[in-house]
Amino acid sequence: MVSAVVLATGRVESAEKQEGLSLAPGQSALQRVLEEVLASKVREVVCVVSDLAWVGRRITIENERLIWLLKYGADGGPNSSMIAGLWAIDPKSDGVLFLAGDQPFIRSELIDALIERFESGRALIVAPSFQGQPRSPLLFRRELFPDLLKITGDRSGCALLEKHRDGAELVPWGEEIPYFDIDARTDYEHLKEPA
């Protein structure tokens, strides 16, 4: 069983204030991410947010597999949301998939491909790749949960990917758009360009 943790504290709200992004009218980036994750084979979704009032105004999803986790303040550094989400998942989960709430073009097919590779092998980490480069989201096997809980400062799950490169498997993906981050200025500008 794979659980997903969607990280949506702060950056998602600020990213959605940007103009001109071609999402459906009234649809938020986080709404779109959650719809795709819930359409995938993940067993449960823990969404870590810092503002439940914002969620109430912007998110219309009701699903028994979706759990809201309110993270207070910014104490604990940038990875405290990741750690809080990890603590909140089902203790029987074999793995956890971390996703950013500001990557609205992630697709359930990509998530399912990661889960299928995870379930068919013994890799400690499964990640998609584009042109040979690892991308997010990252799927971690239970054996790495203690290491994830120890991440501090500006380090992220990518540091574990580097450390355990020999125990990782990459799933090639032919499109770059699922990885676009609407909070990254260059990605945002690229998305606004006419096709």
Side-chain angles (χ1 to χ4, degrees):
M1 166 174 66
V2 171
S3 298
V5 174
V6 177
L7 304 171
T9 54
R11 287 177 23 146
V12 174
E13 293 98 336
S14 64
E16 292 192 356
K17 292 177 184 169
Q18 298 186 30
E19 303 278 330
L21 187 59
S22 59
L23 296 175
Q27 185 181 42
S28 74
L30 180 58
Q31 171 93 16
R32 196 154 164 181
V33 170
L34 291 171
E35 287 171 352
E36 290 297 318
V37 177
L38 288 165
S40 77
K41 296 177 181 178
V42 300
R43 176 80 158 52
E44 68 176 346
V45 181
V46 174
C47 187
V48 185
V49 297
S50 57
D51 184 351
L52 282 176
W54 180 88
V55 168
R57 289 188 308 271
R58 299 296 307 237
I59 307 300
T60 60
I61 296 173
E62 291 184 25
N63 188 302
E64 64 185 28
R65 292 169 40 221
L66 177 59
I67 301 162
W68 295 103
L69 179 62
L70 180 61
K71 182 188 166 288
Y72 291 100
D75 59 330
N79 293 310
S80 60
S81 294
M82 183 181 73
I83 293 168
L86 182 59
W87 278 111
I89 65 170
D90 187 319
K92 296 176 187 157
S93 289
D94 299 313
V96 62
L97 177 71
F98 288 102
L99 300 108
D102 55 4
Q103 290 182 307
F105 302 105
I106 193 73
R107 298 210 333 253
S108 61
E109 296 87 358
L110 172 59
I111 295 166
D112 286 344
L114 298 175
I115 293 172
E116 287 166 15
R117 179 70 59 92
F118 178 84
E119 291 176 340
S120 67
R122 291 296 310 150
L124 292 173
I125 304 169
V126 177
S129 66
F130 178 72
Q131 297 181 347
Q133 297 300 311
R135 301 293 183 109
S136 64
L138 301 177
L139 175 51
F140 296 91
R141 195 166 294 281
R142 169 172 285 290
E143 290 87 341
L144 290 181
F145 288 7
D147 291 341
L148 287 165
L149 292 171
K150 294 176 190 172
I151 292 176
T152 59
D154 291 336
R155 299 180 62 212
S156 68
C158 294
L160 287 181
L161 178 60
E162 292 170 19
K163 179 179 177 183
H164 296 282
R165 190 61 186 233
D166 291 342
E169 288 191 28
L170 298 180
V171 176
W173 201 256
E175 299 175 292
E176 187 176 22
I177 193 149
Y179 314 115
F180 283 168
D181 176 344
I182 62 168
D183 200 38
R185 194 79 193 145
T186 54
D187 287 352
Y188 176 72
E189 293 300 328
H190 184 72
L191 286 170
K192 282 180 32 180
E193 293 174 4

